[in-house]
Amino acid sequence: MSTDLRKAALRTSATAALRVAEGPLAAVNESGSDDAPLASSSEHMPPPSLIPSRRAAPKPATWDKYWSKNFKVDLPGRGTFNVYTAGEEGPVVLCLHGGGYTGLTWSLVAAKLKDKYRVVAPDLRGHGTTSTADDVDFSKETMSTDVVELLQALFGDSTERVPTLIVGHSMGGAIAVWAAASKAIKGLEGVVVIDVVEGTAMAALPHMTGVLASRPTHFSSLEEAISWCTRTGMCRSKEAAAVSMPSQLRQDAGSGHYVWATPLEKSRPFWEGWYQGLSDAFLAVPGPKMLLLAGTDRLDKSLTIGQMQGKFQLVLMPMAGHAIHEDEADKTAEHLLQFLTRFRIGMPPMTFPKAPAGVQRVLPVVAGPAFQP
């Protein structure tokens, strides 16, 4: 068996249920500290110049390398939402992050799409620098309504219909489906869900409290946080971690430590609501649909049947972790571009030339053994 196949096989083991959890909820096997000794005795340690540095994590990156604008949007009665946008024209690609992440998780993908499309990535309620009247109301009803009203605030004044593709990762994938199912997004032309399936998500829920408890409670610096992020496999791309991970933290005024910005433990009452009935809702959404997964082990019964019936496009990316769009940003962007082109999102419908007036229509002639005299 080749190395690549062996790696893929390992990824489709019995641990699949846990890997479907949010990135910050993913299994953690290492401490958040980079200060652990590299050997048990200093006399056996090589000279410092020969010791591999554990502090080689990239410095935090700024949003403006990838995005055109960062601004706040006031939604009356709901709150103030932080939004990143890239690109000035073309159909809208609305990107919804997973639990604990922020809009910056889409940075590398946005950089690949912004020449032809308008990429919009908000910090969802309770995440990043978005501020609402109730930051711990993570219900699917509240969060999907946030998304619909945000789109209305951004593009509702347009005199023309705004073609929109909605893309969501994990929790954001569920919210994308529920927002699409509401039929309140007027210009919706497609839905893409990344690495979330009802069956495996529901199976993972009993483990999530323990997973959350195993995370480091704080980091002494952003560099340490980025190092932890890449070392534990939460994100396998150093570039993506450098721009995404800092936005998931806030600095505690008292200790100066960096702590998690989103209290994911308070989202627990809503976990089941995000995912229960998700597969059938996804299949029922009209229009083109795509599901990006790290492995076929994610498919539950409804999606397996739906995929066999051709109700959605399935793309497998077995070399990525749960945060597919961070780990394999180039390939994710490539699949999105192909999807947008294949289903002509934002493009006029195809027209076929008509025969000139007076030309008799030629019908096909049925032939075969059953029709021979």
Side-chain angles (χ1 to χ4, degrees):
M1 181 182 292
S2 70
T3 301
D4 286 350
L5 289 176
R6 188 178 296 110
K7 289 180 179 178
L10 289 173
R11 290 192 180 88
T12 55
S13 66
T15 60
L18 280 180
R19 287 184 52 222
V20 79
E22 308 300 336
L25 281 83
V28 176
N29 298 316
E30 299 189 41
S31 159
S33 173
D34 275 345
D35 297 328
L38 295 176
S40 59
S41 172
S42 60
E43 64 181 289
H44 297 298
M45 293 179 67
S49 61
L50 298 181
I51 300 175
S53 172
R54 298 184 69 191
R55 299 182 182 275
K59 297 290 184 182
T62 57
W63 65 269
D64 52 0
K65 178 181 177 181
Y66 306 93
W67 302 89
S68 307
K69 299 176 184 176
N70 173 218
F71 54 90
K72 306 289 186 181
V73 177
D74 248 344
L75 298 182
R78 308 197 73 82
T80 302
F81 288 75
N82 185 51
V83 178
Y84 300 93
T85 63
E88 302 296 331
E89 56 184 22
V92 170
V93 179
L94 176 67
C95 299
L96 306 181
H97 61 76
Y101 291 89
T102 71
L104 290 181
T105 188
W106 301 101
S107 295
L108 275 65
V109 171
K112 300 290 183 181
L113 301 181
K114 64 183 181 181
D115 288 344
K116 295 182 178 180
Y117 300 95
R118 289 177 285 177
V119 186
V120 178
D123 292 347
L124 297 176
R125 176 180 294 257
H127 293 75
T129 59
T130 284
S131 175
T132 67
D134 187 356
D135 282 339
V136 293
D137 181 1
F138 296 111
S139 68
K140 69 181 184 183
E141 294 82 6
T142 296
M143 297 186 78
S144 60
T145 302
D146 287 342
V147 170
V148 171
E149 293 200 10
L150 179 62
L151 276 174
Q152 179 67 23
L154 290 172
F155 305 107
D157 292 338
S158 175
T159 56
E160 298 181 357
R161 177 178 174 275
V162 181
T164 303
L165 171 68
I166 187 168
V167 183
H169 167 241
S170 204
M171 176 200 78
I175 301 305
V177 170
W178 297 122
S182 72
K183 300 182 180 179
I185 303 176
K186 296 179 181 179
L188 185 65
E189 293 194 7
V191 178
V192 176
V193 173
I194 298 179
D195 216 46
V196 59
V197 165
E198 177 183 349
T200 42
M202 295 296 289
L205 295 185
H207 306 280
M208 290 303 98
T209 301
V211 169
L212 279 176
S214 69
R215 298 188 306 169
T217 57
H218 65 270
F219 303 94
S220 61
S221 68
L222 293 177
E223 289 80 5
E224 181 185 288
I226 295 168
S227 178
W228 173 86
C229 180
T230 56
R231 194 173 68 247
T232 59
M234 174 179 160
C235 176
R236 301 178 184 181
S237 163
K238 289 184 178 181
E239 183 181 4
V243 66
S244 175
M245 184 64 182
S247 68
Q248 299 171 38
L249 306 169
R250 62 174 178 83
Q251 191 168 22
D252 181 71
S255 66
H257 290 153
Y258 290 88
V259 298
W260 299 104
T262 301
L264 282 175
E265 64 280 357
K266 293 185 179 180
S267 68
R268 181 179 180 181
F270 307 102
W271 293 348
E272 189 170 318
W274 292 344
Y275 304 122
Q276 195 165 48
L278 182 63
S279 293
D280 288 337
F282 173 70
L283 294 172
V285 171
K289 296 178 285 291
M290 180 166 68
L291 182 60
L292 270 67
L293 298 178
T296 52
D297 57 288
R298 302 290 203 276
L299 289 180
D300 54 26
K301 182 178 179 180
S302 293
L303 291 180
T304 299
I305 295 173
Q307 197 272 329
M308 293 174 66
Q309 294 174 336
K311 291 185 176 180
F312 64 92
Q313 179 182 348
L314 176 64
V315 175
L316 301 180
M317 299 179 65
M319 301 311 295
H322 177 53
I324 292 175
H325 59 297
E326 289 191 349
D327 296 348
E328 297 279 359
D330 287 353
K331 289 184 179 179
T332 300
E334 181 181 336
H335 287 304
L336 290 175
L337 288 169
Q338 290 174 353
F339 182 85
L340 286 156
T341 303
R342 177 183 180 186
F343 292 103
R344 301 183 62 80
I345 291 176
M347 303 179 193
M350 293 184 67
T351 58
F352 298 93
K354 295 182 179 179
V359 175
Q360 185 176 3
R361 179 181 297 178
V362 178
L363 298 176
V365 176
V366 179
F371 296 95
Q372 291 179 359

